[in-house]
Amino acid sequence: MKKRNRIVWIPICIGIFAAALGGCAGNTAERQALRLQGIEKIDAGDYSGAISDLDQALSLGKGSVGEMELDILKYRAEAEYLAGDYSAAAHTYDILIQVDEERPEYVRLRCVSNIRGGDVDTALEDFSKLYDAAKSGTDGETAEIGTLVADVGKALEDGGRAEEAMELYRQAETDGLADSAVYNSIGVQQLEEGNYSSALEYFEKGLASPDGKAESDLMFNRAVALEYQGNYQEALAAFEEYTAKFGEDQQAEHEIEFLKTR
């Protein structure tokens, strides 16, 4: 079966804030050049080099926090995350929250950084805030909450806390915040427990979800559930549909060859 096993990094959309939080200091041209070098290095995959350039650019500001510094901090957080230094990324989001308010995107990205870094309990603190806001519709992060539910749930499962994860998934379903990724997570748990009919139901619910984010995993897992139920011809058709849509897959091809003999 397939389950989302990595958190996909969503590139930060860098915006310029209308009001500066402090005065600009230092050599603006040099800072701008270092900032641009850092961005280019992120694009090239040289994350440590990018962090070094961005840190130098920040140091030229002599501690002031204005529009440019906020912009640089966001890029630094992205570079730290992509470099795999999740605690550093979470710390940079701490700074951004301190100097630029507790904006939902900062809280979400700090939550994701802590999930990825294995600090699930700290991540849960941010998750609770984001979930409550999404439930009440008071911020613009509602569209991301389903993915975050799946990510937090996966981290809980990996930490041996499967029951907590299932409670999270079920609550999201009850609150109307489940997306295709959440339905896939519930289905996988049901599959692992041998509840094949229930698993199939959730995979089909996920495929009916409008977001379509977990379509590949859902189609594969639906085929697995059909096979486990003994519906070999339906499973064969489902695997063939999967490979026709998503291309060759060694695991799927193996299942197809097996099912052709049934």
Side-chain angles (χ1 to χ4, degrees), residues 76-252:
R76 189 181 79 178
E78 181 178 356
E80 288 166 339
Y81 184 96
L82 292 171
D85 194 347
Y86 305 114
S87 61
H91 177 65
T92 300
Y93 287 118
D94 285 339
I95 295 170
L96 282 162
I97 287 168
Q98 289 168 21
V99 299
D100 193 34
E101 302 178 7
E102 194 171 74
R103 298 176 182 269
E105 68 266 27
Y106 298 157
V107 178
R108 175 173 57 81
L109 291 167
R110 182 174 67 180
C111 181
V112 170
S113 297
N114 280 319
I115 292 169
R116 191 66 169 167
D119 192 352
V120 183
D121 288 323
T122 299
L124 281 169
E125 295 174 14
D126 282 336
F127 172 78
S128 295
K129 297 176 188 176
L130 293 163
Y131 189 90
D132 290 344
K135 187 176 176 181
S136 62
T138 56
D139 64 45
E141 295 288 298
T142 304
E144 300 292 340
I145 199 64
T147 298
L148 200 57
V149 169
D151 290 341
V152 173
K154 178 66 166 59
L156 286 169
E157 289 182 57
D158 289 346
R161 299 160 69 175
E163 289 186 10
E164 288 180 63
M166 183 56 81
E167 287 177 14
L168 205 66
Y169 303 145
R170 296 289 193 189
Q171 190 62 53
E173 182 183 20
T174 298
D175 294 334
L177 295 174
D179 66 2
S180 60
V182 174
Y183 285 123
N184 184 60
S185 296
I186 298 174
V188 168
Q189 277 212 10
Q190 292 298 298
L191 205 60
E192 290 173 347
E193 292 173 7
N195 302 321
Y196 306 136
S197 295
S198 178
L200 185 61
E201 178 185 343
Y202 279 103
F203 295 141
E204 290 177 346
K205 280 184 179 181
L207 286 167
S209 295
D211 65 277
K213 287 181 288 189
E215 184 181 19
S216 173
D217 289 349
L218 285 159
M219 286 185 69
F220 187 97
N221 290 336
R222 177 178 178 274
V224 171
L226 287 166
E227 182 179 342
Y228 283 6
Q229 283 185 315
N231 297 326
Y232 299 126
Q233 291 306 306
E234 287 185 66
L236 175 60
F239 277 119
E240 289 177 335
E241 183 182 2
Y242 170 83
T243 56
K245 184 159 190 175
F246 297 105
E248 291 186 6
D249 179 300
Q250 186 175 0
Q251 214 175 343

